[in-house]
Amino acid sequence: MPVPKPMERKQAAYSNLDERYAIQGEKYQGQQYSHIYFTRLRHMRNLLHALVPSLKPLLPVTTVLGLEEGKDCILVGTLYKHMKLKPSILDEYAKERSAIPLVKPHNFMHPDDHLILEDESGRVTLAGAIPTAAFVTGVVVALHGKETSAGNFLVEDVLEAGLPPQTALSSAAEDKYVVFVSGLSVGSDTFNPLQFQLLIDHVTGHLGDENEQSIASNIVRVVVAGNSVHISPRFVNGQTVASKDQSRIAEPIKELDIMLTQLVASLPVDMMPGCHDPANFSLPQQPLHRCLFSGASTYNTFSSCSNPHQFELDSVQFLGTSGQNIDDLYKYSDAKDKLEFMERTLRWRHLAPTAPNSLGCYPYTDKDPFLVESCPHVYFVGNQDKYETRLLEGPEKQKVRLISIPRFSESGAAVMQWSQAQPNLCLIASLQPGPSSTISNCQLEMLFDFGPAGHIPHNRNGKEERTDEIRL
Amino acid sequence: MTRGGGGDMKSFFRQQKAHAGAGAATKPTGGVSKKAAAAAHHHQKAAPAVHVHPAPDHGAGAGADSTRLQQEERERAAREFDMDMRYGPCLGVTRAQRWRRAAALGLAPPPALLVLCTDDQPCLWEGRV
């Protein structure tokens, strides 16, 4: 019998670019959030002032206080969206409570919402050709228009900063994959350990025949994008926990650690915190502590990362979050899908524009770390409802692969991204344990394979057919 | 830069304190509340109490007048730096940090002001607002 030749896992040069999200060096002096808004406005205003002359050459740029009625000009400032349904702490103290619904809606939009532009000198209400549903508080834009006699600013055109510049990708010879998974929710009711074990076995190469193993040997990294544990709410609602229950609080984390140790023994893993993980609440969430992962942190392939997370693999830039920024945009604005929110954050050059307003954020005094200075090649967001992907192209030949990662505990799907010369290629592996129980093959359902020529689904053998399903 | 009125920030603010020392000396309640606030906030140091009353502290001696005038001048310049809108909000950061932030953002604050801002000296309104 021929001896199977051992397959070696590919390696990729990794560098972690998370220093800008570290809060370790910051000292809280009692400051408020005005400083973040100031640095954001200052930074974006420099960018917009550089862009405006090429788009609208002859118009003067003024401040809000320097507006003259009827004169065409350009204003640069931060948007504030006045929302009727936005929950306010003062509603609890309002005398008439009948108008306020007790059940909070998921989306706080209302037809009466209006936008206001604010800079250091003043505010002005906006009217005209600006789509209120598309913008949120905290976005810095340039507006072309004129002041009306009613004191509003009638907008003719909106200028966003657009996609930031991107370093060009060098072409590479070999395929390498990155696996993104999020929403494992170990410890919740929807968690199925068999599914997670199947994923681990597939990624570590313990499943499948040579074909599947060769795919698995091309995986260079696994990124876990948040919500890996789910601690039962009855332990964290402020009531004292009985001593017999105390050991059960940490059970989900221990279980996660055991399973991660298998993964980490085989390939590098980046662990990001999410909104349900034991990390700080406000963005940027700091890396989960090593003591939580007593088994996995002994390996040098385990790296605990911040949320948002930025890294580089073989000169491909990755940037992503665990979903809080996009979920917040979803509550306060409207778009046809989550990818459009992601696209907007790139065009506004800011990962989380709602950050101090409705999303928890650290009150920085001298920087805003969520500003996107260079365009990533892959932009991912975790803990979304479904898998979606698109290739976004910018005016200066930027190409960004946008990926929305579904929650693993609900969908059983992880995303494999081909991270090399053609970042437009994206496979999704859906690992579902089937009804029959022979444990010889895995079910690897390749749903889509976006080749450069378009959406031609073909399987690994190059034939143009949907899939080869081998049931487990 | 194309900001209209960038040169006369002072015209935004009509109040101009010509005699900062006298102004501080006639507001004893301001000093007391600052001290109380300084005791309450464990972040705050004793510095705020010191900078509100520069005149009484340095008032002894024959040459006291000229030093007092210099002190008042410096106080006034520091307070104008606090109130200058170009450099952003002043509350919550010390003057030296604000100056450094302004320099890092490319606003070119005058270097003479950095000499005035000793480290850990917060702005005019710290503890009062």
Side-chain angles (χ1 to χ4, degrees):
Chain A
M1 200 169 91
V3 175
K5 64 173 173 42
M7 284 185 227
E8 273 198 25
R9 191 180 288 281
K10 301 250 172 75
Q11 307 278 329
Y14 171 79
S15 66
N16 185 316
L17 302 168
D18 278 347
E19 300 85 29
R20 57 190 305 165
Y21 304 118
I23 297 185
Q24 195 68 20
E26 301 280 333
K27 186 176 164 227
Y28 182 63
Q29 299 157 284
Q31 71 267 22
Q32 299 195 3
Y33 292 115
S34 49
H35 304 277
I36 296 193
Y37 278 121
F38 171 68
T39 31
R40 189 187 298 180
L41 177 60
R42 180 85 210 147
H43 194 271
M44 293 299 300
R45 193 160 47 190
N46 286 345
L47 280 170
L48 287 167
H49 279 160
L51 288 173
V52 151
S54 50
L55 294 169
K56 307 257 174 188
L58 298 169
L59 293 169
V61 179
T62 68
T63 59
V64 168
L65 217 55
L67 274 181
E68 291 167 20
E69 193 177 320
K71 189 171 156 206
D72 239 4
C73 61
I74 302 228
L75 271 188
V76 178
T78 315
L79 285 174
Y80 176 79
K81 186 158 155 184
H82 183 90
M83 303 185 77
K84 199 162 147 175
L85 293 178
K86 182 179 161 195
S88 158
I89 191 84
L90 299 175
D91 290 344
E92 289 181 37
Y93 301 98
K95 293 238 163 97
E96 349 97 27
R97 301 180 62 129
S98 52
I100 295 137
L102 287 171
V103 175
K104 301 241 150 67
H106 280 290
N107 185 293
F108 299 113
M109 297 184 56
H110 192 272
D112 285 346
D113 296 337
H114 56 272
L115 287 171
I116 299 171
L117 189 81
E118 183 175 319
D119 71 2
E120 292 109 335
S121 54
R123 299 183 128 196
V124 64
T125 314
L126 299 178
I130 183 161
T132 312
F135 287 96
V136 286
T137 304
V139 180
V140 180
V141 284
L143 299 175
H144 165 216
K146 57 165 86 82
E147 191 187 357
T148 60
S149 51
N152 297 339
F153 187 77
L154 190 68
V155 177
E156 266 178 54
D157 199 11
V158 181
L159 294 155
E160 295 164 341
L163 290 181
Q166 190 183 58
T167 50
L169 264 187
S170 54
S171 60
E174 19 175 48
D175 309 342
K176 291 184 190 176
Y177 300 138
V178 175
V179 171
F180 295 101
V181 64
S182 78
L184 292 168
S185 296
V186 177
S188 75
D189 297 332
T190 53
F191 173 64
N192 186 347
L194 181 57
Q195 269 185 342
F196 188 26
Q197 189 60 50
L198 207 55
L199 173 69
I200 295 176
D201 287 340
H202 174 70
V203 166
T204 52
H206 287 111
L207 273 183
D209 62 350
E210 281 208 20
N211 271 338
E212 275 94 1
Q213 283 182 325
S214 67
I215 294 181
S217 70
N218 289 338
I219 301 177
V220 289
R221 202 149 202 105
V222 172
V223 177
V224 183
N227 285 352
S228 319
V229 293
H230 181 266
I231 303 188
S232 173
R234 63 196 173 96
F235 292 138
V236 290
N237 61 358
Q239 294 174 355
T240 41
V241 179
S243 45
K244 63 178 165 66
D245 283 338
Q246 275 179 9
S247 54
R248 291 177 52 194
I249 300 178
E251 267 174 19
I253 307 175
K254 288 191 203 147
E255 198 178 331
L256 175 69
D257 186 34
I258 291 171
M259 302 188 98
L260 266 189
T261 312
Q262 299 171 43
L263 202 53
V264 149
S266 171
L267 83 168
V269 176
D270 279 358
M271 170 67 82
M272 289 166 63
C275 53
H276 296 140
D277 286 329
N280 53 316
F281 167 74
S282 54
L283 288 188
Q285 283 183 298
Q286 297 303 291
L288 292 165
H289 201 280
R290 296 182 48 207
C291 68
L292 292 170
F293 302 104
S294 46
S297 60
T298 55
Y299 289 86
N300 69 346
T301 44
F302 176 74
S303 58
S304 187
C305 309
S306 60
N307 168 32
H309 182 35
Q310 196 174 348
F311 62 98
E312 185 184 318
L313 265 182
D314 276 353
S315 78
V316 179
Q317 304 277 341
F318 290 76
L319 173 64
T321 64
S322 300
Q324 291 106 322
N325 56 335
I326 302 297
D327 290 340
D328 210 55
L329 280 182
Y330 175 67
K331 280 194 236 173
Y332 293 97
S333 66
D334 204 17
K336 61 181 199 293
D337 57 13
K338 297 286 174 81
L339 294 180
E340 195 173 333
F341 288 126
M342 293 168 70
E343 192 181 321
R344 284 183 194 162
T345 56
L346 282 181
R347 287 197 199 284
W348 294 331
R349 296 206 198 183
H350 200 276
L351 276 182
T354 52
N357 188 38
S358 44
L359 193 55
C361 175
Y362 180 82
Y364 289 97
T365 53
D366 53 0
K367 62 174 178 172
D368 187 348
F370 304 112
L371 288 165
V372 181
E373 264 133 30
S374 74
C375 195
H377 297 108
V378 177
Y379 181 32
F380 62 92
V381 165
N383 295 299
Q384 299 305 307
D385 296 326
K386 53 187 174 138
Y387 164 69
E388 287 175 307
T389 183
R390 194 194 299 159
L391 185 67
L392 177 65
E393 307 215 358
E396 291 161 25
K397 295 199 199 145
Q398 296 107 328
K399 282 202 175 136
V400 195
R401 165 64 57 182
L402 304 175
I403 308 179
S404 144
I405 309 168
R407 286 177 216 111
F408 188 79
S409 58
E410 288 164 19
S411 66
V415 180
M416 253 204 283
Q417 161 69 34
W418 183 347
S419 79
Q420 275 312 302
Q422 298 165 18
N424 55 348
L425 211 71
C426 196
L427 304 162
I428 176 165
S430 168
L431 295 159
Q432 310 273 359
S436 60
S437 58
T438 47
I439 316 175
S440 51
N441 305 318
C442 77
Q443 173 192 1
L444 180 62
E445 199 179 76
M446 291 170 55
L447 298 178
F448 292 113
D449 190 12
F450 296 98
H455 304 271
I456 308 171
H458 52 270
N459 68 8
R460 299 181 299 284
N461 299 330
K463 292 184 234 163
E464 284 184 21
E465 59 188 57
R466 188 67 193 274
T467 178
D468 269 347
E469 285 183 28
I470 312 160
R471 293 218 167 260
L472 174 68
Chain B
M1 284 290 271
T2 44
R3 275 180 67 91
D8 27 61
M9 283 294 143
K10 285 184 197 174
S11 59
F12 277 102
F13 305 102
R14 308 240 178 85
Q15 288 178 349
Q16 287 216 13
K17 293 201 176 199
H19 302 287
T26 54
K27 276 191 286 183
T29 50
V32 168
S33 66
K34 263 184 112 58
K35 282 185 186 131
H41 296 280
H42 59 271
H43 301 294
Q44 300 291 343
K45 303 192 167 52
V50 171
H51 97 258
V52 168
H53 298 286
D57 286 342
H58 299 273
D65 271 354
S66 59
T67 42
R68 198 190 306 161
L69 279 174
Q70 274 180 6
Q71 284 287 334
E72 286 174 10
E73 262 304 307
R74 277 189 248 162
E75 259 309 298
R76 192 165 70 81
R79 287 180 187 199
E80 279 182 15
F81 172 61
D82 281 343
M83 286 289 106
D84 197 337
M85 247 184 359
R86 276 177 299 184
Y87 306 123
C90 69
L91 258 186
V93 274
T94 62
R95 282 181 181 149
Q97 278 177 336
R98 187 158 172 264
W99 193 97
R100 278 193 280 266
R101 175 180 79 189
L105 288 174
L107 292 157
L113 285 175
L114 186 57
V115 177
L116 289 181
C117 318
T118 56
D119 268 329
D120 296 344
Q121 189 182 58
C123 75
L124 169 66
W125 303 107
E126 193 70 46
R128 295 183 179 187
V129 177

